[in-house]
Amino acid sequence: MLSETEMLAPDFVLTAADEHTVNMRKLYNEQPVYLLFWMSGSEACKEQLAAVQRVWNTYGKNIYFVVVSLDGNKQDAAAFMQDVLPDRPFYMASVSVADDYGVTAVPSSVLIAKGGQIARQHTGVMSGRELAYFIEKRMHDAAP
């Protein structure tokens, strides 16, 4: 069995709230990806999305931030995002996509190095400072 740091990130097509699509493989072949799985109505997810907002401005040019709702209802997800992370894109995905990443609870973070190697995963809330460290430290660890 491969350890998580030896696994390549599963590829899938994400659908944005405005219906445009993006391929995960295309993203992680261009630059690293911070992937966050969340659901509306979760206070823990609200906290994590607020932390993402704080670090997005710092790291957003060097890493893709991909926030993925596992909600079945796009309107609920959009309303939640408007309250927590306005003016930032988000994507919808099925629970099977989360299963492919081994997500068992939300919020769940996955850091994917450029090229597709899963650098690290974390379940639960990280503060803005912890998230910044998670991104910086793990990207240095995952650098070829």
Side-chain angles (χ1 to χ4, degrees):
M1 180 174 195
L2 295 175
S3 71
E4 72 178 29
T5 57
E6 296 171 337
M7 294 178 59
L8 290 181
D11 185 27
F12 59 93
V13 175
L14 291 167
T15 302
D18 66 3
E19 300 299 325
H20 82 272
T21 60
V22 65
N23 181 278
M24 273 300 292
R25 181 174 292 141
K26 180 181 183 318
L27 294 180
Y28 63 63
N29 280 333
E30 291 177 4
Q31 66 184 31
V33 175
Y34 168 76
L35 180 60
L36 174 67
F37 291 98
W38 61 276
M39 293 183 80
S40 64
S42 164
E43 285 303 313
C45 290
K46 185 180 272 190
E47 288 178 46
Q48 188 61 53
L49 286 164
V52 167
Q53 176 65 32
R54 288 191 295 276
V55 298
W56 198 320
N57 294 331
T58 302
Y59 299 98
K61 292 180 181 161
N62 301 316
I63 186 170
Y64 287 121
F65 282 82
V66 180
V67 293
V68 179
S69 172
L70 299 177
D71 285 297
N73 185 311
K74 184 171 53 175
Q75 289 76 20
D76 289 346
F80 189 78
M81 281 293 287
Q82 186 59 39
D83 287 342
V84 181
L85 204 63
D87 304 320
R88 299 289 187 176
F90 75 94
Y91 300 89
M92 303 294 294
S94 67
V95 173
S96 67
V97 170
D99 289 343
D100 288 345
Y101 278 86
V103 171
T104 58
V106 292
S108 283
S109 299
V110 180
L111 187 61
I112 305 167
K114 183 177 178 181
Q117 181 183 25
I118 295 176
R120 187 61 92 200
Q121 293 183 260
H122 177 85
T123 300
V125 177
M126 289 183 275
S127 69
R129 184 175 178 187
E130 291 168 325
L131 180 56
Y133 180 78
F134 178 82
I135 290 169
E136 281 188 28
K137 170 80 170 111
R138 303 307 177 222
M139 290 318 300
H140 291 297
D141 290 349

